[in-house]
Amino acid sequence: GGAAVQRWTCSWTDGQHAAAVEVVRAAISRGELYQANVVGHRSAPYTGDPLALARAVAAMPGAAYGGVLSGPGWTIGSASPEQLVRVAGERITTVPVKGTRRIEAGSKQALRASEKDRAEHIMIVDLERNDLARVARTGSVEVESLYDVTAWSGLWHAGSRVAATLAPGVTVLDVLAALLPGGSVTGAPKHAACGLLAGLEPIGRGPSMGAFGFLWPRGLDLGLTIRTVALDGDRVHLWAGGGITWGSAAAEEVAEAHAKADPVQRALAQVRPSSC
């Protein structure tokens, strides 16, 4: 079946988003936290088959954790490029993504050279080292790659791989408790960031910024549900945001959220009603 998406509306204005960025910067200036990932929401009415729309998102290039889940009255489509956590045998890894630019002339070099983006990224790598240490053998946590820039659907992303050896007796549930919610979509320190964000964001995150993938008795492989849509009976929902540090410029953060949402919206726009 086919489907079509109508006009998108955002749950806050660009001005309200920019004001939220300034609230975070003020909290950082007071020493309450170092970084918080502010997430906005947009939605649009749709007609036709929700599975067709979810599959269009899941099929986006670079969707390392692409897939569809559905149940009575709801459908989720993920095009996530980001690994939240993988456990295979005794090895555990997480690959946080932090730092984004549209792919255009000079933008890859600009992302590599950006002190603000690198600082934002290193904070989350340190947070993930700490998260992994809660379930790892002492001394086994290692940053295997740092600030690698890769492409995803018209965007450059910076990512790092943090790895460790699991401590004896650690279960899959212990790993989820240590890693969720993901550091790259919350902030540092994580609890302080979550408390601040709960009062700032325009609408709940739903299934976005969560986990999507496979679990089995002694392991798991989960993507973080960025670049993810949720469909109810009549609307498609999409979330996007970015990490705010003291060095953030509000207008640039608003533009980054739009840049992250844009490829998903374009993928959805390519699904058309099927003809007789």
Side-chain angles (χ1 to χ4, degrees):
V5 174
Q6 271 78 56
R7 182 184 176 90
W8 289 87
T9 55
C10 292
S11 293
W12 57 9
T13 64
D14 286 353
Q16 289 168 323
H17 185 172
V21 172
E22 295 301 341
V23 170
V24 172
R25 291 185 70 249
I28 293 169
S29 75
R30 294 191 298 270
E32 295 172 11
L33 71 168
Y34 301 104
Q35 178 179 166
N37 194 82
V38 174
V39 173
H41 165 269
R42 64 196 70 198
S43 69
Y46 76 91
T47 55
D49 180 10
L51 280 170
L53 294 170
R55 288 183 186 124
V57 173
M60 291 176 69
Y65 291 88
V68 174
L69 280 176
S70 63
W74 62 270
T75 305
I76 295 166
S78 170
S80 175
E82 180 172 354
Q83 182 192 115
L84 173 68
V85 59
R86 178 181 293 157
V87 173
E90 290 190 324
R91 176 174 164 84
I92 180 170
T93 58
T94 183
V95 188
V97 169
K98 210 92 206 105
T100 301
R101 291 283 193 285
R102 291 186 190 270
I103 294 178
E104 54 197 16
S107 62
K108 186 177 187 180
Q109 293 78 5
L111 180 56
R112 286 194 189 280
S114 168
E115 288 186 14
K116 181 263 178 185
D117 284 289
R118 190 172 287 268
E120 176 185 337
H121 187 96
I122 297 298
M123 284 183 212
I124 298 305
V125 170
D126 282 341
L127 177 69
E128 298 300 351
R129 289 170 61 207
N130 185 67
D131 282 353
L132 258 59
R134 294 164 60 190
V135 292
R137 290 182 189 269
T138 303
S140 72
V141 179
E142 182 180 1
V143 179
E144 293 186 338
S145 64
L146 185 65
Y147 211 73
D148 287 340
V149 176
T150 56
W152 177 90
S153 288
L155 302 176
W156 293 117
H157 283 151
S160 295
R161 178 181 289 105
V162 187
T165 303
L166 285 180
V170 168
T171 69
V172 166
L173 289 178
D174 294 330
V175 169
L176 293 176
L179 271 290
L180 287 170
S184 64
V185 291
T186 51
K190 193 182 282 189
H191 285 286
C194 288
L196 178 62
L197 293 166
L200 273 183
E201 294 178 351
I203 195 167
R205 292 183 174 192
S208 74
M209 316 295 147
F212 180 93
F214 297 96
L215 293 87
W216 55 95
R218 305 182 85 85
L220 48 80
D221 190 1
L222 299 176
L224 199 154
T225 48
I226 57 173
R227 319 297 183 264
T228 296
V229 297
L231 299 102
D232 56 27
D234 51 18
R235 294 188 78 84
V236 54
H237 303 266
L238 172 62
W239 292 259
I244 312 305
T245 65
W246 174 247
S248 291
E252 292 176 7
E253 297 296 342
V254 171
E256 180 176 324
H258 288 309
K260 289 172 176 174
D262 181 57
V264 183
Q265 290 174 279
R266 281 190 279 112
L268 290 165
Q270 290 169 12
V271 182
R272 291 294 175 219
S274 48
S275 56
C276 299

